């Protein structure tokens, strides 16, 4: 009786330890879900710019590729620093200015709702959740 592809692959995976299985799983997810351009940047074939860095951060997180995500952070400390500064700048404001605080909360809420809608299809703004 001929073996199926799944049986053959499963048999080959039996010899791998958990770390090897996780790395293989990440490799497969990257191969299926990263674009050629993203993979080339991650692999160092094409130069990494800040926009690609941020794109890869998001994509690697989305597909659960922790190993390359942390390597990306370590390999590009200047981009990590720039991103940290952007976040700090965004979060810095005068706490005595109630109008700015409310505006900032509204902006954060709108961005969060937009991201959730893009990722899940749930429209928190229309459904008035948590407001």
């Amino acid at each position: 009786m001929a073996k199926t592809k799944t049986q053959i692959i499963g048999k080959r995976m039996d010899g791998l330890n958990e770390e090897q299985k996780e790395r293989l799983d990440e490799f497969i997810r990257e191969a299926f879900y990263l674009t050629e351009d993203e993979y080339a940047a991650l692999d160092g074939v094409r130069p990494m710019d800040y926009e690609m860095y941020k794109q890869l951060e998001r994509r690697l997180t989305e597909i659960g590729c922790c190993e390359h995500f942390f390597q990306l952070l370590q390999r590009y400390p200047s981009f990590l620093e720039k991103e940290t500064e952007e976040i700090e700048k965004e979060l810095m404001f005068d706490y005595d200015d109630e109008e700015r605080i409310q505006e900032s909360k509204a902006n954060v809420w709108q961005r969060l709702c937009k991201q959730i809608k893009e990722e899940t299809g749930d429209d928190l703004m229309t459904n008035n959740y948590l407001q």
Side-chain angles (χ1 to χ4, degrees):
M1 178 176 185
K3 292 185 178 185
T4 66
K5 261 186 181 177
T6 305
Q7 290 172 325
I8 293 169
I9 292 170
K11 191 83 164 157
R12 290 182 181 163
M13 297 256 320
D14 288 343
L16 302 177
N17 64 36
E18 288 306 310
E19 182 180 345
Q20 291 169 326
K21 287 178 184 178
E22 178 59 32
R23 286 180 183 232
L24 179 60
D25 186 51
E26 282 193 18
F27 171 78
I28 291 169
R29 280 182 272 151
E30 289 170 2
F32 278 98
Y33 296 110
L34 294 181
T35 65
E36 286 183 36
D37 200 35
E38 290 169 336
Y39 201 79
L42 186 64
D43 207 28
V45 174
R46 94 176 236 343
M48 179 71 69
D49 59 27
Y50 184 61
E51 290 307 314
M52 179 56 73
Y53 169 84
K54 287 178 69 171
Q55 183 176 327
L56 273 168
E57 259 188 338
R58 187 179 66 256
R59 296 284 290 148
L60 291 171
T61 302
E62 287 172 355
I63 63 175
C65 292
C66 298
E67 185 75 26
H68 273 134
F69 173 79
F70 290 116
Q71 287 177 7
L72 182 72
L73 298 180
Q74 290 175 338
R75 202 176 312 150
Y76 300 98
S78 62
F79 290 154
L80 179 58
E81 185 176 325
K82 180 177 180 177
E83 185 175 39
T84 302
E85 288 171 2
E86 286 178 358
I87 292 169
E88 287 175 348
K89 183 179 178 184
E90 186 175 318
L91 296 176
M92 294 290 198
F93 52 85
D94 184 2
Y95 287 98
D96 294 332
D97 186 353
E98 185 64 30
E99 186 177 330
R100 274 188 76 192
I101 291 171
Q102 293 307 320
E103 184 180 318
S104 179
K105 283 181 181 180
N107 288 339
V108 169
W109 174 251
Q110 288 172 356
R111 283 197 321 264
L112 177 63
C113 289
K114 180 182 177 190
Q115 184 176 356
I116 289 171
K117 185 175 182 180
E118 288 172 358
E119 292 178 12
T120 68
D122 290 338
D123 189 353
L124 300 182
M125 294 298 286
T126 302
N127 296 327
N128 292 320
Y129 290 115
L130 303 174
Q131 287 189 4

